[in-house]
Structures are given as C-alpha cells and as structure tokens.
C-alpha cells in the first residue's frame, strides 16, 4: 500500500542520515593521535617552568554533599607543586561550606545573593577573581579530585605564551546511572568516552577544544578576558570559545589526571 511505501521510504531515509552522521564522526579519524599531547607533556615535564608558576584551585559547589566538598579540597591541597592555594566557590552561600573552608584554612567565596537565581558561572568566578594573586587558576567541580601529578602534567604547556587553557578529561570512578541500570557499561564504552577520548582529541588539532566544566587550568589574565564580555561569559563553553576566536590556544591533554563521582540517580543528574 501507499502507506507502507511511504513508511518504508521514511525509515530508509532515517537510516541513511544516521549512517551519514556516523561517517562524518569518523571522517577526521586519520588525525586521531591520543598520544601526541601525552608525549609533549613528557618532554615539558622534563624541563619544568622556572620559577614555578603559582596556582590557585577554585573548587565550585552548589548543593553537593559536604563530604564531596571536603574531599575535593583536601585532594587539591595535596597536589604536588611548590606554590598551591585553594579556594572554595560556593554558589549557594552555605554556612556549613564556609566552616569547612575555615577549618582547612582555605579561602571562601560565596556567590552574591542577588546572583543566585540565574547562571552562576560568570558571577561566581567574578566574585573570586579580585583576591586571586596567582598566575594560573585550576577550575574544579567539587565532585572531582585531582591526582597529585595534575599540575606536573599540565603546567608545561603554559611555556607557550599563546596557550590560555589546558583541558583534561572528566573521568568517573564508576559508570553513569543510565549505563549501569541497563548493564551497558559491561559491554560497550559510554558516550563520555567517545567525547573525551576521541572527539576532543580531534578538535584539539583545530584549536576547537570544548570546555568541560572543570579539571582544567587557565591563565588568570585569560580568565579576566573571559569575564570582561558578559554575553560570552554566561556559560563556560561560550567564554572559552571567545578566547579561541581571539587566537588564544586551548590545549587538550587526553590523560586521566582527576577522578570524580557520577550522579547516583536521574534526580541527582538534573
């Protein structure tokens, strides 16, 4: 019948579009070399920057459990580097988080109350910037903990004055709830693996790396430039893209240098 013919043709078109989409994903695969930046990091680590750059970790939190905040702050303090400072950036302004920062002798920054009903990225970073005295800032979500070697592996790239930021993968120590519930994590990699260990590696070839919400290091002056344009600074991805449009380089190091906790449920994911 004509209905069956139309339905069959529509399904065939959908399948063809899907195959085309998958083919476009694989088109740049000859440029895929995940070890390229790791080899560069090995060379740079052998010749560290002198004097060592000062770094402040900015650990962002909103409504996460206090144990996650404390765990992340302690991990940042123990990163192997001679000049490390730590600040907690609290989008909710919780007294208990302020007490954690006080007990660990770390800087506490709260999002101004008038900014707590919209996008918190730019206002929170802008609130932390005036008292920051370091050359570099490491941006972290409180659900993630840096490895001790995090700065050793990333800081060498800043020997190139054109490099504004170094991004590393966001890795969970267990699979996401939707993969785990379906049992898919036992038989196939998740979509995060495709993004962090293929797409970002290829995008790095074209200075088109996407910001990922943490596990990154950025120059303080580049951060100031990001926040100066309020339109672009609304989200981290658009702010970093603006730096790239101006000619700054964003490097992607495909090496697991931090680990974090995936949301337990769909409600926590939201």
């Amino acid at each position: 019948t004509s209905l069956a013919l139309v339905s069959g043709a529509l399904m065939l078109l959908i399948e063809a579009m899907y195959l085309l989409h998958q083919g476009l994903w694989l088109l740049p695969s000859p440029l895929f070399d995940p070890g390229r930046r790791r080899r560069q990091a090995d060379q740079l680590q052998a010749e560290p920057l002198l004097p060592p750059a000062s770094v402040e970790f900015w650990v962002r939190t909103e409504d996460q459990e206090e144990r996650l905040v404390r765990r992340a702050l302690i991990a940042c303090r123990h990163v192997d580097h001679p000049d490390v400072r730590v600040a907690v950036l609290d989008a909710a302004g919780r007294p208990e988080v302020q007490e954690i920062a006080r007990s660990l002798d770390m800087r506490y920054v709260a999002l101004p109350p008038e900014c707590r009903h919209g996008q918190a990225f730019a206002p929170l970073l802008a609130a932390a910037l005036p008292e920051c005295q370091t050359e570099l800032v490491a941006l972290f979500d409180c659900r993630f903990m840096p490895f001790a070697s995090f700065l050793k592996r990333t800081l060498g790239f800043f020997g190139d004055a054109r490099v504004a930021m170094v991004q590393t993968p966001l890795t969970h120590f267990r699979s996401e709830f939707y993969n785990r519930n379906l049992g898919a994590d036992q038989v196939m990699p998740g979509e995060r693996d495709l993004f962090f260990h293929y797409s970002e590696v290829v995008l790095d070839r074209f200075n088109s790396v996407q910001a990922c919400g943490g596990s990154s290091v950025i120059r303080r002056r580049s951060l100031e430039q990001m926040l100066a344009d309020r339109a672009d600074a609304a989200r981290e991805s658009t702010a970093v893209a603006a730096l790239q449009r101006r000619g700054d380089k964003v490097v992607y190091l495909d090496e697991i240098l931090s680990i974090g906790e995936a949301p337990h449920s769909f409600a926590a994911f939201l």
Side-chain angles (χ1 to χ4, degrees):
T1 65
S2 57
L3 180 60
L5 180 63
V6 171
S7 300
L10 182 59
M11 290 300 296
L12 183 62
L13 178 62
I14 292 173
E15 289 289 341
M17 292 176 64
Y18 174 76
L19 291 174
L20 177 62
H21 176 264
Q22 294 300 107
L24 290 174
W25 269 107
L26 296 174
L27 188 63
S29 58
L31 299 175
F32 178 65
D33 181 7
R36 181 174 68 98
R37 290 297 191 188
R38 291 198 290 269
R39 293 189 294 270
Q40 187 178 357
D42 291 339
Q43 296 172 355
L44 295 171
Q45 186 176 344
E47 301 176 1
L49 299 176
L50 294 175
S54 55
V55 184
E56 184 169 54
F57 280 84
W58 288 4
V59 180
R60 290 175 289 175
T61 179
E62 186 171 0
D63 56 1
Q64 291 85 359
E65 300 172 51
E66 294 173 39
R67 66 177 182 87
L68 297 180
V69 178
R70 182 180 293 273
R71 185 179 68 183
L73 294 176
I74 293 173
C76 291
R77 167 169 281 172
H78 288 89
V79 168
D80 188 6
H81 190 68
D83 191 354
V84 171
R85 308 163 202 183
V86 186
V88 56
L89 280 58
D90 187 8
R94 294 179 291 173
E96 52 270 29
V97 174
Q98 185 176 14
E99 176 57 27
I100 291 173
R102 188 202 61 77
S103 67
L104 295 173
D105 194 25
M106 295 176 178
R107 189 161 72 96
Y108 175 80
V109 179
L111 183 67
E114 64 272 15
C115 300
R116 292 176 188 169
H117 303 289
Q119 286 291 335
F121 170 74
L124 191 56
L125 267 58
L129 195 56
E131 294 185 21
C132 177
Q133 303 299 322
T134 57
E135 302 167 60
L136 302 171
V137 173
L139 301 176
F140 266 78
D141 183 285
C142 71
R143 291 168 294 185
F144 289 84
M145 300 168 287
F147 292 173
S149 60
F150 178 80
L151 293 178
K152 280 189 174 181
R153 300 295 291 168
T154 54
L155 293 195
F157 291 99
F158 291 97
D160 182 348
R162 298 171 298 172
V163 172
M165 179 177 177
V166 177
Q167 177 69 58
T168 67
L170 299 181
T171 305
H172 293 141
F173 53 74
R174 65 178 178 186
S175 59
E176 292 90 343
F177 67 94
Y178 46 86
N179 277 340
R180 189 170 63 253
N181 291 347
L182 295 172
D185 58 331
Q186 302 298 320
V187 296
M188 61 184 293
E191 60 180 352
R192 294 176 64 89
D193 295 300
L194 174 64
F195 177 74
F196 285 114
H197 303 300
Y198 175 75
S199 300
E200 288 278 68
V201 175
V202 173
L203 291 172
D204 184 38
R205 291 279 192 170
F206 306 99
N207 193 31
S208 300
V209 173
Q210 296 182 34
C212 305
S215 298
S216 59
V217 188
I218 186 170
R219 291 188 193 273
R220 185 182 185 278
R221 70 167 184 265
S222 298
L223 195 57
E224 292 172 342
Q225 293 172 359
M226 281 172 47
L227 298 175
D229 189 332
R230 293 191 177 184
D232 286 330
R235 295 181 179 272
E236 185 178 15
S237 56
T238 57
V240 172
L243 290 178
Q244 292 166 324
R245 288 196 303 270
R246 286 195 288 264
D248 291 341
K249 292 175 64 177
V250 177
V251 170
Y252 183 72
L253 176 59
D254 184 23
E255 183 175 335
I256 297 174
L257 295 171
S258 61
I259 198 79
E261 189 168 332
H264 300 175
S265 63
F266 185 67
F269 178 75
L270 293 177

